[in-house]
């Protein structure tokens, strides 16, 4: 018996990286045991920041291929679909926008940040982003939403919209809870910023082993450790953080001790990490290559996902319209 419904969405950003995997996808996969899961490629959300939309289709394909290779499994009932294929979300967006005070949207720190990032493109959609996100989640009556810490304020916003809506129109929508992974923030190979494709500080899941070793070799370690003989501080080293995820606990303890006494150098430490990462990612790469032999498969999954998502969406939007009193 499943414990409820999970919903999560991610913008189509193409091949996924270790940050996406540890911060989101790993949870998407694990939650399939206990929940009915709905995972959405939020292509409409992507339009708020993209000037150039010609890669959307390719990036959707590459992202979903990674999701499936990582273990998101439609055969276990999981729904994977593209946001714009189930247009009821746009109807719900409009309805929810009527119970959303504009001032709340423009005061959100995430909105202010976007205005700073793209001052020449402060579009209407950007202001409404959290309302569309609320519509995404509530259209599927999700109880649980796995999100990164950066999305916490938006999720709180969704909860407020649900309370306001239900107060006005009756208990129709469900108030969702956020769920974070054990590694909510993965740093990039620069060791400073969040791992991100746009900063080119990322390591793709589908990376070739040789290229993987090159990327790991470029990783910034403890800046105070200049020479091989200097003792290091694992707690400030991003290579060590990744060892904690991909290396056995005894070896991690050994690396911790050896780094502090300069018993192991960064080069050897990185070689071990690259090897463990390559071993960890090998089955993923194999599944990805296998899935890629049939390019139609991804689109079939998304087509079937949209049909199954539509069944829920049609029911909920009808309930919402009735509650609101639309004729
Ligand atoms: P979106 O803008 O849709 O969140 P992203 O590609 O930025 O698209 O992120 C997709 C998912 O991966 C999100 O749940 C996000 O929290 C997570 N994520 C992205 N980068 C990182 C990172 N460096 N560390 C942890 N989680 C991350």
């Amino acid at each position: 018996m499943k414990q409820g419904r999970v919903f999560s969405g991610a913008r189509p950003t193409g091949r996924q990286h270790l940050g996406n995997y540890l911060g989101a996808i790993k949870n998407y996969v694990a939650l399939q045991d206990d929940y009915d899961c709905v995972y959405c490629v939020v292509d409409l959300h992507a339009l708020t920041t993209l000037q150039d939309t010609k890669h959307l289709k390719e990036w959707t394909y590459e992202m979903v291929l990674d999701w499936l290779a990582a273990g998101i499994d439609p055969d276990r009932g999981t729904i994977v679909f593209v946001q714009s294929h189930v247009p009821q979300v746009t109807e719900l967006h409009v309805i929810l926008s009527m119970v959303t005070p504009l001032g709340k949207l423009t005061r959100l720190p995430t909105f202010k940040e976007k205005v700073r990032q793209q001052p020449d493109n402060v579009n209407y959609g950007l202001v409404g982003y959290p309302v569309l996100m609320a519509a995404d989640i509530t259209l599927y009556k999700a109880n649980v939403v796995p999100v990164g810490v950066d999305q916490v304020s938006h999720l709180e916003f969704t909860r407020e919209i649900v309370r306001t809506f239900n107060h006005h129109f009756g208990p129709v929508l469900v108030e969702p809870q956020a769920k974070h992974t054990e590694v909510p923030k993965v740093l990039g190979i620069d060791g400073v910023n969040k791992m991100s494709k746009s900063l080119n500080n990322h390591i793709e899941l589908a990376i070739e082993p040789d290229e993987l070793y090159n990327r790991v070799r470029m990783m910034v370690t403890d800046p105070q450790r200049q020479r091989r003989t200097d003792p290091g501080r694992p707690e400030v080293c991003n290579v060590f953080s990744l060892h904690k995820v991909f290396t056995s606990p005894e070896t991690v303890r050994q690396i911790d001790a050896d780094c502090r006494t300069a018993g192991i150098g960064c080069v050897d430490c990185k070689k071990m990490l690259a090897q463990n990462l390559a071993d960890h990612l090998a089955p993923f790469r194999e599944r990805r290559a296998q899935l890629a032999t049939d390019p139609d498969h991804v689109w079939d999954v998304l087509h079937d996902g949209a049909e199954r998502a539509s069944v829920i969406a049609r029911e909920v939007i009808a309930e919402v319209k009735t509650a609101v009193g639309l004729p």
Side-chain angles (χ1 to χ4, degrees), residues 204-233:
E204 281 180 359
L205 296 178
I207 195 168
E208 299 285 334
D210 286 354
E211 184 53 22
L212 171 63
Y213 180 62
N214 281 337
R215 294 297 269 180
V216 172
R217 209 171 46 185
M218 283 158 66
M219 283 180 76
V220 173
T221 56
D222 176 2
Q224 278 183 26
R225 194 168 187 204
Q226 305 272 342
R227 285 174 299 261
R228 169 68 181 80
T229 48
D230 293 339
R233 298 169 301 165

Side-chain angles (χ1 to χ4, degrees), residues 167-182:
H167 174 75
H168 283 297
F169 304 117
V172 174
L173 301 180
V174 172
E175 224 179 292
Q177 306 284 338
K179 189 170 179 76
H180 302 304
T181 66
E182 287 157 20

Side-chain angles (χ1 to χ4, degrees), residues 82-242:
V82 176
Q83 186 184 29
S84 65
H85 294 177
V86 184
Q88 284 81 2
V89 75
T90 57
E91 287 184 86
L92 188 55
H93 177 203
V94 171
I95 294 171
L96 294 182
S97 74
M98 307 305 171
V99 295
T100 306
L102 182 59
K104 261 196 183 160
L105 290 171
T106 51
R107 277 195 300 273
L108 279 174
T110 42
F111 174 68
K112 291 184 181 162
E113 172 71 20
K114 282 281 181 258
V115 173
R116 267 194 300 275
Q117 283 170 2
Q118 50 183 67
D120 299 329
N121 183 17
V122 184
N123 56 71
Y124 176 66
L126 207 52
V127 187
Y129 191 110
V131 188
L132 183 55
M133 177 168 156
D136 285 323
I137 297 166
T138 54
L139 187 58
Y140 298 95
K141 295 197 172 181
N143 325 79
V144 173
V145 181
V147 276
V149 273
D150 48 330
Q151 291 293 334
V152 169
S153 64
H154 286 165
L155 201 71
E156 192 44 49
F157 191 85
T158 297
R159 291 161 57 84
E160 279 173 33
I161 294 186
V162 169
R163 288 197 290 268
T164 311
F165 181 94
N166 287 352
H167 174 75
H168 283 297
F169 304 117
V172 174
L173 301 180
V174 172
E175 224 179 292
Q177 306 284 338
K179 189 170 179 76
H180 302 304
T181 66
E182 287 157 20
V183 194
K185 186 174 177 184
V186 178
L187 295 182
I189 59 173
D190 54 18
V192 181
N193 297 297
K194 192 178 120 166
M195 185 176 284
S196 157
K197 188 175 165 177
S198 55
L199 296 173
N200 192 19
N201 65 359
H202 62 301
I203 297 177
E204 281 180 359
L205 296 178
I207 195 168
E208 299 285 334
D210 286 354
E211 184 53 22
L212 171 63
Y213 180 62
N214 281 337
R215 294 297 269 180
V216 172
R217 209 171 46 185
M218 283 158 66
M219 283 180 76
V220 173
T221 56
D222 176 2
Q224 278 183 26
R225 194 168 187 204
Q226 305 272 342
R227 285 174 299 261
R228 169 68 181 80
T229 48
D230 293 339
R233 298 169 301 165
E235 66 276 10
V236 300
C237 177
N238 194 25
V239 173
F240 187 71
S241 330
L242 290 183

